[in-house]
PDB file of all heavy atoms in Angstrom:
ATOM      1  N   VAL A  76     132.011  95.731 -93.969  1.00  0.00           N
ATOM      2  CA  VAL A  76     132.184  96.490 -92.731  1.00  0.00           C
ATOM      3  C   VAL A  76     133.373  95.968 -91.945  1.00  0.00           C
ATOM      4  O   VAL A  76     134.207  96.742 -91.443  1.00  0.00           O
ATOM      5  CB  VAL A  76     130.898  96.446 -91.884  1.00  0.00           C
ATOM      6  CG1 VAL A  76     131.144  97.009 -90.483  1.00  0.00           C
ATOM      7  CG2 VAL A  76     129.786  97.230 -92.575  1.00  0.00           C
ATOM      8  N   SER A  77     133.497  94.653 -91.794  1.00  0.00           N
ATOM      9  CA  SER A  77     134.586  94.107 -90.984  1.00  0.00           C
ATOM     10  C   SER A  77     135.940  94.403 -91.609  1.00  0.00           C
ATOM     11  O   SER A  77     136.918  94.673 -90.894  1.00  0.00           O
ATOM     12  CB  SER A  77     134.409  92.597 -90.773  1.00  0.00           C
ATOM     13  OG  SER A  77     134.456  91.903 -91.999  1.00  0.00           O
ATOM     14  N   ALA A  78     136.025  94.393 -92.960  1.00  0.00           N
ATOM     15  CA  ALA A  78     137.285  94.740 -93.615  1.00  0.00           C
ATOM     16  C   ALA A  78     137.584  96.227 -93.474  1.00  0.00           C
ATOM     17  O   ALA A  78     138.728  96.621 -93.218  1.00  0.00           O
ATOM     18  CB  ALA A  78     137.224  94.350 -95.084  1.00  0.00           C
ATOM     19  N   ALA A  79     136.557  97.047 -93.633  1.00  0.00           N
ATOM     20  CA  ALA A  79     136.753  98.495 -93.507  1.00  0.00           C
ATOM     21  C   ALA A  79     137.140  98.870 -92.081  1.00  0.00           C
ATOM     22  O   ALA A  79     137.909  99.815 -91.872  1.00  0.00           O
ATOM     23  CB  ALA A  79     135.488  99.228 -93.934  1.00  0.00           C
ATOM     24  N   GLU A  80     136.623  98.155 -91.091  1.00  0.00           N
ATOM     25  CA  GLU A  80     137.005  98.406 -89.705  1.00  0.00           C
ATOM     26  C   GLU A  80     138.510  98.225 -89.500  1.00  0.00           C
ATOM     27  O   GLU A  80     139.107  98.864 -88.627  1.00  0.00           O
ATOM     28  CB  GLU A  80     136.260  97.454 -88.764  1.00  0.00           C
ATOM     29  CG  GLU A  80     134.788  97.782 -88.566  1.00  0.00           C
ATOM     30  CD  GLU A  80     134.080  96.746 -87.714  1.00  0.00           C
ATOM     31  OE1 GLU A  80     134.548  95.580 -87.666  1.00  0.00           O
ATOM     32  OE2 GLU A  80     133.064  97.094 -87.105  1.00  0.00           O
ATOM     33  N   LEU A  81     139.110  97.347 -90.311  1.00  0.00           N
ATOM     34  CA  LEU A  81     140.532  97.061 -90.202  1.00  0.00           C
ATOM     35  C   LEU A  81     141.361  97.897 -91.163  1.00  0.00           C
ATOM     36  O   LEU A  81     142.558  97.637 -91.351  1.00  0.00           O
ATOM     37  CB  LEU A  81     140.771  95.569 -90.448  1.00  0.00           C
ATOM     38  CG  LEU A  81     140.138  94.652 -89.399  1.00  0.00           C
ATOM     39  CD1 LEU A  81     140.205  93.204 -89.823  1.00  0.00           C
ATOM     40  CD2 LEU A  81     140.805  94.849 -88.041  1.00  0.00           C
ATOM     41  N   GLY A  82     140.729  98.881 -91.781  1.00  0.00           N
ATOM     42  CA  GLY A  82     141.473  99.846 -92.586  1.00  0.00           C
ATOM     43  C   GLY A  82     141.550  99.575 -94.066  1.00  0.00           C
ATOM     44  O   GLY A  82     142.226 100.318 -94.789  1.00  0.00           O
ATOM     45  N   LEU A  83     140.875  98.555 -94.570  1.00  0.00           N
ATOM     46  CA  LEU A  83     140.928  98.270 -96.000  1.00  0.00           C
ATOM     47  C   LEU A  83     139.987  99.193 -96.773  1.00  0.00           C
ATOM     48  O   LEU A  83     138.922  99.565 -96.268  1.00  0.00           O
ATOM     49  CB  LEU A  83     140.538  96.812 -96.284  1.00  0.00           C
ATOM     50  CG  LEU A  83     141.681  95.793 -96.280  1.00  0.00           C
ATOM     51  CD1 LEU A  83     142.293  95.674 -94.902  1.00  0.00           C
ATOM     52  CD2 LEU A  83     141.180  94.430 -96.768  1.00  0.00           C
ATOM     53  N   ARG A  84     140.395  99.550 -97.983  1.00  0.00           N
ATOM     54  CA  ARG A  84     139.490 100.228 -98.908  1.00  0.00           C
ATOM     55  C   ARG A  84     138.612  99.160 -99.552  1.00  0.00           C
ATOM     56  O   ARG A  84     139.117  98.167-100.078  1.00  0.00           O
ATOM     57  CB  ARG A  84     140.259 100.984 -99.980  1.00  0.00           C
ATOM     58  CG  ARG A  84     140.984 102.235 -99.492  1.00  0.00           C
ATOM     59  CD  ARG A  84     141.453 103.062-100.671  1.00  0.00           C
ATOM     60  NE  ARG A  84     142.286 102.282-101.572  1.00  0.00           N
ATOM     61  CZ  ARG A  84     142.382 102.504-102.889  1.00  0.00           C
ATOM     62  NH1 ARG A  84     141.677 103.461-103.456  1.00  0.00           N
ATOM     63  NH2 ARG A  84     143.181 101.764-103.642  1.00  0.00           N
ATOM     64  N   VAL A  85     137.320  99.389 -99.524  1.00  0.00           N
ATOM     65  CA  VAL A  85     136.374  98.368 -99.983  1.00  0.00           C
ATOM     66  C   VAL A  85     135.417  98.959-100.995  1.00  0.00           C
ATOM     67  O   VAL A  85     134.878 100.054-100.801  1.00  0.00           O
ATOM     68  CB  VAL A  85     135.568  97.789 -98.795  1.00  0.00           C
ATOM     69  CG1 VAL A  85     134.624  96.692 -99.282  1.00  0.00           C
ATOM     70  CG2 VAL A  85     136.495  97.259 -97.710  1.00  0.00           C
ATOM     71  N   VAL A  86     135.203  98.220-102.073  1.00  0.00           N
ATOM     72  CA  VAL A  86     134.143  98.532-103.030  1.00  0.00           C
ATOM     73  C   VAL A  86     133.164  97.370-103.017  1.00  0.00           C
ATOM     74  O   VAL A  86     133.569  96.206-103.131  1.00  0.00           O
ATOM     75  CB  VAL A  86     134.675  98.749-104.457  1.00  0.00           C
ATOM     76  CG1 VAL A  86     133.528  99.125-105.402  1.00  0.00           C
ATOM     77  CG2 VAL A  86     135.750  99.828-104.481  1.00  0.00           C
ATOM     78  N   LEU A  87     131.892  97.666-102.837  1.00  0.00           N
ATOM     79  CA  LEU A  87     130.854  96.637-102.812  1.00  0.00           C
ATOM     80  C   LEU A  87     129.974  96.782-104.045  1.00  0.00           C
ATOM     81  O   LEU A  87     129.474  97.879-104.334  1.00  0.00           O
ATOM     82  CB  LEU A  87     130.028  96.748-101.533  1.00  0.00           C
ATOM     83  CG  LEU A  87     128.938  95.690-101.327  1.00  0.00           C
ATOM     84  CD1 LEU A  87     128.768  95.391 -99.837  1.00  0.00           C
ATOM     85  CD2 LEU A  87     127.596  96.118-101.918  1.00  0.00           C
ATOM     86  N   PHE A  88     129.755  95.674-104.759  1.00  0.00           N
ATOM     87  CA  PHE A  88     128.948  95.655-105.969  1.00  0.00           C
ATOM     88  C   PHE A  88     127.671  94.863-105.718  1.00  0.00           C
ATOM     89  O   PHE A  88     127.721  93.710-105.286  1.00  0.00           O
ATOM     90  CB  PHE A  88     129.727  95.014-107.119  1.00  0.00           C
ATOM     91  CG  PHE A  88     130.972  95.758-107.501  1.00  0.00           C
ATOM     92  CD1 PHE A  88     132.186  95.497-106.863  1.00  0.00           C
ATOM     93  CD2 PHE A  88     130.942  96.722-108.496  1.00  0.00           C
ATOM     94  CE1 PHE A  88     133.336  96.178-107.209  1.00  0.00           C
ATOM     95  CE2 PHE A  88     132.091  97.416-108.856  1.00  0.00           C
ATOM     96  CZ  PHE A  88     133.291  97.143-108.214  1.00  0.00           C
ATOM     97  N   GLU A  89     126.539  95.469-106.004  1.00  0.00           N
ATOM     98  CA  GLU A  89     125.233  94.816-105.876  1.00  0.00           C
ATOM     99  C   GLU A  89     124.500  94.946-107.212  1.00  0.00           C
ATOM    100  O   GLU A  89     124.327  96.049-107.733  1.00  0.00           O
ATOM    101  CB  GLU A  89     124.416  95.461-104.760  1.00  0.00           C
ATOM    102  CG  GLU A  89     122.945  95.089-104.724  1.00  0.00           C
ATOM    103  CD  GLU A  89     122.702  93.590-104.637  1.00  0.00           C
ATOM    104  OE1 GLU A  89     123.311  92.940-103.759  1.00  0.00           O
ATOM    105  OE2 GLU A  89     121.902  93.071-105.453  1.00  0.00           O
ATOM    106  N   LYS A  90     124.078  93.811-107.767  1.00  0.00           N
ATOM    107  CA  LYS A  90     123.482  93.870-109.101  1.00  0.00           C
ATOM    108  C   LYS A  90     122.066  94.438-109.110  1.00  0.00           C
ATOM    109  O   LYS A  90     121.600  94.927-110.139  1.00  0.00           O
ATOM    110  CB  LYS A  90     123.481  92.478-109.736  1.00  0.00           C
ATOM    111  CG  LYS A  90     122.464  91.497-109.177  1.00  0.00           C
ATOM    112  CD  LYS A  90     122.517  90.194-109.961  1.00  0.00           C
ATOM    113  CE  LYS A  90     121.505  89.197-109.442  1.00  0.00           C
ATOM    114  NZ  LYS A  90     121.543  87.923-110.190  1.00  0.00           N
ATOM    115  N   MET A  91     121.379  94.385-107.963  1.00  0.00           N
ATOM    116  CA  MET A  91     120.023  94.908-107.898  1.00  0.00           C
ATOM    117  C   MET A  91     120.050  96.414-107.620  1.00  0.00           C
ATOM    118  O   MET A  91     121.068  96.955-107.194  1.00  0.00           O
ATOM    119  CB  MET A  91     119.222  94.175-106.820  1.00  0.00           C
ATOM    120  CG  MET A  91     119.151  92.668-107.021  1.00  0.00           C
ATOM    121  SD  MET A  91     118.431  92.187-108.618  1.00  0.00           S
ATOM    122  CE  MET A  91     116.717  92.624-108.331  1.00  0.00           C
ATOM    123  N   PRO A  92     118.912  97.098-107.797  1.00  0.00           N
ATOM    124  CA  PRO A  92     118.899  98.545-107.533  1.00  0.00           C
ATOM    125  C   PRO A  92     119.070  98.912-106.074  1.00  0.00           C
ATOM    126  O   PRO A  92     119.430 100.048-105.766  1.00  0.00           O
ATOM    127  CB  PRO A  92     117.511  98.977-108.046  1.00  0.00           C
ATOM    128  CG  PRO A  92     117.077  97.903-108.983  1.00  0.00           C
ATOM    129  CD  PRO A  92     117.680  96.637-108.454  1.00  0.00           C
ATOM    130  N   ALA A  93     118.796  97.981-105.157  1.00  0.00           N
ATOM    131  CA  ALA A  93     118.885  98.286-103.726  1.00  0.00           C
ATOM    132  C   ALA A  93     119.586  97.149-103.004  1.00  0.00           C
ATOM    133  O   ALA A  93     119.604  95.999-103.463  1.00  0.00           O
ATOM    134  CB  ALA A  93     117.488  98.501-103.142  1.00  0.00           C
ATOM    135  N   LEU A  94     120.166  97.456-101.851  1.00  0.00           N
ATOM    136  CA  LEU A  94     120.808  96.458-101.017  1.00  0.00           C
ATOM    137  C   LEU A  94     119.763  95.593-100.309  1.00  0.00           C
ATOM    138  O   LEU A  94     118.607  95.963-100.215  1.00  0.00           O
ATOM    139  CB  LEU A  94     121.686  97.145 -99.963  1.00  0.00           C
ATOM    140  CG  LEU A  94     122.785  98.079-100.465  1.00  0.00           C
ATOM    141  CD1 LEU A  94     123.460  98.768 -99.287  1.00  0.00           C
ATOM    142  CD2 LEU A  94     123.811  97.309-101.290  1.00  0.00           C
ATOM    143  N   GLY A  95     120.198  94.457 -99.806  1.00  0.00           N
ATOM    144  CA  GLY A  95     119.297  93.674 -98.958  1.00  0.00           C
ATOM    145  C   GLY A  95     119.334  92.185 -99.176  1.00  0.00           C
ATOM    146  O   GLY A  95     119.515  91.407 -98.247  1.00  0.00           O
ATOM    147  N   GLY A  96     119.081  91.735-100.414  1.00  0.00           N
ATOM    148  CA  GLY A  96     119.059  90.312-100.694  1.00  0.00           C
ATOM    149  C   GLY A  96     118.074  89.551 -99.832  1.00  0.00           C
ATOM    150  O   GLY A  96     117.071  90.097 -99.366  1.00  0.00           O
ATOM    151  N   ASN A  97     118.369  88.283 -99.591  1.00  0.00           N
ATOM    152  CA  ASN A  97     117.478  87.454 -98.779  1.00  0.00           C
ATOM    153  C   ASN A  97     117.446  87.892 -97.322  1.00  0.00           C
ATOM    154  O   ASN A  97     116.447  87.688 -96.629  1.00  0.00           O
ATOM    155  CB  ASN A  97     117.911  85.982 -98.853  1.00  0.00           C
ATOM    156  CG  ASN A  97     117.229  85.237 -99.974  1.00  0.00           C
ATOM    157  OD1 ASN A  97     116.465  85.812-100.746  1.00  0.00           O
ATOM    158  ND2 ASN A  97     117.500  83.955-100.094  1.00  0.00           N
ATOM    159  N   THR A  98     118.524  88.512 -96.835  1.00  0.00           N
ATOM    160  CA  THR A  98     118.532  88.955 -95.439  1.00  0.00           C
ATOM    161  C   THR A  98     117.410  89.944 -95.183  1.00  0.00           C
ATOM    162  O   THR A  98     116.711  89.874 -94.167  1.00  0.00           O
ATOM    163  CB  THR A  98     119.881  89.602 -95.092  1.00  0.00           C
ATOM    164  OG1 THR A  98     120.928  88.654 -95.302  1.00  0.00           O
ATOM    165  CG2 THR A  98     119.913  90.052 -93.633  1.00  0.00           C
ATOM    166  N   ALA A  99     117.209  90.868 -96.106  1.00  0.00           N
ATOM    167  CA  ALA A  99     116.214  91.928 -95.908  1.00  0.00           C
ATOM    168  C   ALA A  99     114.797  91.383 -95.820  1.00  0.00           C
ATOM    169  O   ALA A  99     113.957  91.946 -95.111  1.00  0.00           O
ATOM    170  CB  ALA A  99     116.307  92.953 -97.024  1.00  0.00           C
TER     171      ALA A  99
END
């Protein structure tokens, strides 16, 4: 999000079926 706010094109890769990790 912080990179995209500054105009960068971002691809995010998550190995699990859903986002979240330990934060969730």
